Amino acid sequence: MTEALTHTTAENSGDTTAAAATQPVASTATQAPADVPLSSADVEAAVHAIADRSRHAARRMAMANRSWKDRALRAVGAALQENTGAILSANARDVASGKANGTSAALLDRLTLTDARIAGLVAALENLANLPDPVGNVVRGQTLPNGLRLRQVNVPMGVVAAIYEARPNVTVDIAGLALKSGNAVILRGGSAAQATNEVLVRVLRDALESVGLPADAVQTVDQYGRAGANALMKARGRVDVLIPRGGRDLIQTVVTNSAVPVIETGEGNVHIFIDESANEDMAVEILLNAKTQRPSVCNTVETLLVHSGSSVLPAVATALRKAGVRLHADERIRAALPASIESEPATDEDWGTEYMDLDLAVAMVDSLDEAVKHIRTWSTGHTEAILTNDLSNAERFIAEVDSAAVIVNASTRFTDGGELGLGAEVGISTQKLHARGPMGLTELTTTKWIVQGEGQVRG
């Protein structure tokens, strides 16, 4: 490999190349733990060693130009196709173990890989390769009156860590985004998907080596279990940012215990409000898609709010029940439903629940104001949608609802990095600092100020 590891954008061009950086790096597999349980100090030392290798790999990834990173992404895609059999075999073992352990249907769905889902991962990697490189992008710039030339440019984060559970697709998504944005990544994918992730990480590392990039740009601490995750959370100074992705308990554990800066990806207590002007056919189609297409994911609707003046409730409820959705309804909704439509009384617990299953809380409201008040009370700030033919109501909803994504007349399932043209996503951030909403390539970069002068000094 003789290609220079240097950016080729107009703002960051040059032919400076570290000779060593052009040579393939031998795979440095993380040492597996011995049969004798490791002490916490031993685990910490092992995780620190992984992080240090990631730091070294990150420096090289930061110098890789777009064509080299895109070649790596396509090599990963080809390797996934070539190793589909081994991946599915490992995944079948994880799924069987999950069933034996009583894992819920929703988590089993997230855990399961199929030929189609692997093909989707390959397509997402190709989409990433076709996207512009965020590294070196000029955010803003100017020349000051004293002649200093300023630029603020996107640069990689460095070492990105991710803690997630039962989602082997995330292994590929996060690794692909990290590589394209010039970062190294450390993964903790959880015991539920350990066999699958072991194969995936090996495939990713081998693919990187095949194009002359450091295998250590993708590493895992899965072999150290929860102790490895705890050590990763405490590796401040070695890990630049930590991203949790999973259920509420996992996310809150990371947010509460991490010494590493965290980008919080939140649970999805997602709402759809049907106002009195909404079209019945559109409402039925959107609700079926938003609730039943894939109930186990975070952008699935969990609460439906229906305006008391709307006439669409019987049609929507009938379609949802035929699709197997269990309705948890307030008294006014239950009174308005035809006797043939089954429902159960809703409680406050229902309004705050992310079901991740074929369950839906349903409430009746008398106004847009009441709908917004309900959302402000119970929302996790992920995604909210309004179905309406009233432009004024749509604009008010957009202005007054404070969530990461606000949707008008479309399914909440579109809150997704791939669907929104980001190629893939690390997660959907519900916080307001640095990143909010689906996190793609740009969200895995930070910025650097570049100041160029000709001898100026401050007066």
Side-chain angles (χ1 to χ4, degrees), residues 233-245:
M233 286 188 276
K234 302 301 182 184
R236 189 178 183 92
R238 287 181 161 89
V239 175
D240 293 296
V241 65
L242 177 58
I243 303 169
R245 183 168 173 180

Side-chain angles (χ1 to χ4, degrees), residues 150-209:
L150 308 182
R151 285 175 293 151
Q152 185 185 19
V153 300
N154 290 117
V155 296
M157 285 280 191
V159 178
V160 176
I163 297 178
Y164 50 104
E165 55 188 358
R167 305 178 186 202
N169 63 297
V170 173
T171 299
V172 178
D173 284 344
I174 291 181
L177 286 162
L179 297 175
K180 176 79 176 198
S181 54
N183 295 289
V185 65
I186 304 174
L187 304 168
R188 161 60 178 164
S191 59
Q194 187 156 349
T196 312
N197 285 332
E198 183 178 351
V199 176
L200 289 173
V201 169
R202 183 171 67 247
V203 168
L204 286 159
R205 289 170 59 87
D206 289 347
L208 286 172
E209 279 195 319

Side-chain angles (χ1 to χ4, degrees), residues 8-68:
T8 57
T9 63
E11 293 297 333
N12 194 18
S13 60
D15 56 5
T16 303
T17 308
T22 65
Q23 301 301 318
V25 174
S27 176
T28 308
T30 305
Q31 184 177 357
D35 292 337
V36 178
L38 296 178
S39 69
S40 59
D42 288 336
V43 171
E44 181 181 67
V47 171
H48 284 181
I50 290 171
D52 290 343
R53 291 199 297 273
S54 290
R55 177 72 61 191
H56 179 74
R59 295 190 186 105
R60 292 190 54 202
M61 291 302 303
M63 292 188 292
N65 62 19
R66 174 182 174 176
S67 64
W68 205 330

Side-chain angles (χ1 to χ4, degrees), residues 263-323:
I263 298 178
E264 182 176 353
T265 61
E267 60 184 314
N269 191 10
V270 172
H271 297 75
I272 291 179
F273 169 50
I274 300 178
D275 88 348
E276 59 186 330
S277 68
N279 174 271
E280 180 178 294
D281 290 340
M282 181 178 69
V284 169
E285 186 171 3
I286 287 176
L287 260 297
L288 284 174
N289 181 262
K291 183 71 251 184
T292 69
Q293 187 196 45
R294 196 173 177 194
S296 66
V297 294
C298 63
N299 55 22
T300 293
V301 63
E302 304 289 17
T303 297
L304 171 63
L305 304 175
V306 183
H307 194 287
S308 57
S310 171
S311 62
V312 308
L313 177 61
V316 169
T318 299
L320 289 169
R321 286 296 298 137
K322 284 184 178 179

Side-chain angles (χ1 to χ4, degrees), residues 245-263:
R245 183 168 173 180
R248 177 179 176 81
D249 289 345
L250 180 146
I251 292 168
Q252 292 307 311
T253 295
V254 173
V255 170
T256 301
N257 295 296
S258 180
V260 174
V262 173
I263 298 178

Side-chain angles (χ1 to χ4, degrees), residues 98-174:
K99 289 179 179 177
N101 293 331
T103 301
S104 69
L107 285 180
L108 284 175
D109 177 65
R110 290 181 171 185
L111 175 61
T112 302
L113 290 179
T114 63
D115 286 305
R117 288 183 179 180
I118 291 176
L121 292 173
V122 173
L125 290 167
E126 180 63 29
N127 288 339
L128 282 177
N130 291 329
L131 290 174
D133 189 343
V135 179
N137 174 62
V138 178
V139 178
R140 54 183 166 175
Q142 63 175 313
T143 300
L144 299 180
N146 63 6
L148 287 177
R149 300 185 302 280
L150 308 182
R151 285 175 293 151
Q152 185 185 19
V153 300
N154 290 117
V155 296
M157 285 280 191
V159 178
V160 176
I163 297 178
Y164 50 104
E165 55 188 358
R167 305 178 186 202
N169 63 297
V170 173
T171 299
V172 178
D173 284 344
I174 291 181

